Amino acid sequence: MGLTVKATIASFGGKLFKLSHPSTSTGTDMAVNLYLPPQALKSSTKVPVLIYLSGLTCTPENCSEKGFFQHGASKRGVAIVYPDTSPRGLNLPGEKDSWDFGEGAGFYVDATQEPFSKGYKMDTYITRELPSVLFGADSEFGKYLDAERVSITGHSMGGHGALSLYLKNPGMYKSVSAFAPIANPCECAWGKKAFGGYLGEENKEEWKKHDATELIKGEKWRGHKDARVLVDVGTADNFYKQGQLLPENFEKAVKEAGVEGVTVRYQEDYDHSYYFMASFSDEHVDHAAKYLGIL
């Protein structure tokens, strides 16, 4: 079975589609929102795609309602995909015990630990299944979307997801950007909790395979001259102050690895909220558009 359209909403001259589909990765129905800019609806030419990964507790609704990505996307002719943050409805033990682990907090990894190995396969879902569902021959939206021109972005946990999936899969995405990402999850409380629960407390080497700060130091990226990475962090972000984000560790790793094409910006007085994201979403769309061949 393919995509089911739950709602269609006009937005900045384009259309936002609220969709769902049965997932083989998670064993559940998955919600996903898709924004098609006016250029997609008024032309037979396919448009490039920017995947946006959300943060802890979020659904596809949060950013599509409050992030204002559609504004920049409508100007540049970019489709935006808003996936969910975890499976929902598995009813696993401990799945709903806390807001920063389990439902709404899949951390964009494939869990190996019981009971979460049954369905918490968000890496596979984002990188393999969702593209086939959206871009495949059976998709009614495939005629609009250019599967060869895809970039990725995200916020907080989703910023971690965007950076790690980009760095793990060179060539899959044309560029990456992130708002307030959990940039070194192996070293922060959120990441230790998630990686311990999904990947195993003792499997610290496995953790590193999903940590942007560790990945950027690897052979795939060491000495890279065109990394195409943009990161924004607000200086008034309480989670930054608490040491959950650790962008300074990522910056240090970038420098030590001799990687070029990474920009980390500290935005004075901005916090962790959608006010922050809405203020700079146009710039993140433009970052993607540059490498998607539009600018």
Side-chain angles (χ1 to χ4, degrees), residues 154-161 163 177-184 190 212 230-233 237 244-247 250 272:
H155 172 234
S156 194
M157 177 186 73
H160 142 73
L163 288 171
S177 69
F179 290 90
I182 304 171
N184 192 188
W190 280 340
L230 172 64
V231 174
D232 273 326
V233 180
D237 186 325
Q244 295 282 21
L245 309 182
L246 302 175
F250 181 68
H272 200 74

Side-chain angles (χ1 to χ4, degrees), residues 229-242:
V229 177
L230 172 64
V231 174
D232 273 326
V233 180
T235 61
D237 186 325
N238 283 332
F239 297 123
Y240 167 54
K241 295 176 182 179
Q242 293 165 14

Side-chain angles (χ1 to χ4, degrees), residues 84-290:
D84 207 345
T85 50
S86 77
R88 296 181 190 271
L90 288 172
N91 297 315
L92 301 176
E95 188 181 28
K96 299 181 182 180
D97 289 353
S98 58
W99 65 274
D100 55 359
F101 182 81
E103 192 169 276
F107 263 81
Y108 305 102
V109 298
D110 285 355
T112 59
Q113 302 298 298
E114 296 292 342
F116 297 97
S117 56
K118 177 197 173 184
Y120 274 71
K121 303 292 185 184
M122 291 304 293
D123 182 328
T124 295
Y125 175 72
I126 297 296
T127 62
R128 310 295 174 189
E129 183 179 6
L130 186 57
S132 71
V133 170
L134 290 173
F135 305 145
D138 295 333
S139 170
E140 65 182 279
F141 298 100
K143 63 184 177 182
Y144 300 112
L145 305 173
D146 188 344
E148 302 302 316
R149 290 190 293 160
V150 182
S151 285
I152 193 165
T153 187
H155 172 234
S156 194
M157 177 186 73
H160 142 73
L163 288 171
S164 63
L165 296 181
Y166 177 80
L167 295 171
K168 282 193 289 185
N169 299 284
M172 180 175 288
Y173 306 108
K174 299 298 185 184
S175 67
V176 65
S177 69
F179 290 90
I182 304 171
N184 192 188
C186 288
E187 298 298 330
C188 75
W190 280 340
K192 290 176 181 178
K193 181 177 181 178
F195 285 1
Y198 294 135
L199 304 174
E201 292 287 352
E202 72 286 356
N203 296 330
K204 300 295 174 63
E205 289 303 310
E206 185 66 23
W207 294 15
K208 294 179 180 179
K209 298 177 183 178
H210 310 280
D211 184 317
T213 296
E214 296 293 336
L215 288 163
I216 201 75
K217 297 186 289 188
E219 290 302 314
K220 291 179 181 179
W221 291 95
R222 184 170 295 277
H224 201 287
K225 301 303 181 186
D226 186 24
R228 305 180 176 187
V229 177
L230 172 64
V231 174
D232 273 326
V233 180
T235 61
D237 186 325
N238 283 332
F239 297 123
Y240 167 54
K241 295 176 182 179
Q242 293 165 14
Q244 295 282 21
L245 309 182
L246 302 175
E248 62 276 13
N249 292 4
F250 181 68
E251 285 188 284
K252 181 181 178 182
V254 167
K255 184 176 180 180
E256 290 177 352
V259 178
E260 299 177 13
V262 176
T263 300
V264 179
R265 309 187 302 191
Y266 293 87
Q267 304 292 359
E268 194 70 26
D269 295 331
Y270 284 90
D271 59 17
H272 200 74
S273 72
Y274 285 93
Y275 294 110
F276 168 45
M277 293 171 59
S279 299
F280 297 98
S281 60
D282 278 7
E283 294 180 28
H284 283 243
V285 171
D286 283 351
H287 173 76
K290 176 181 177 181

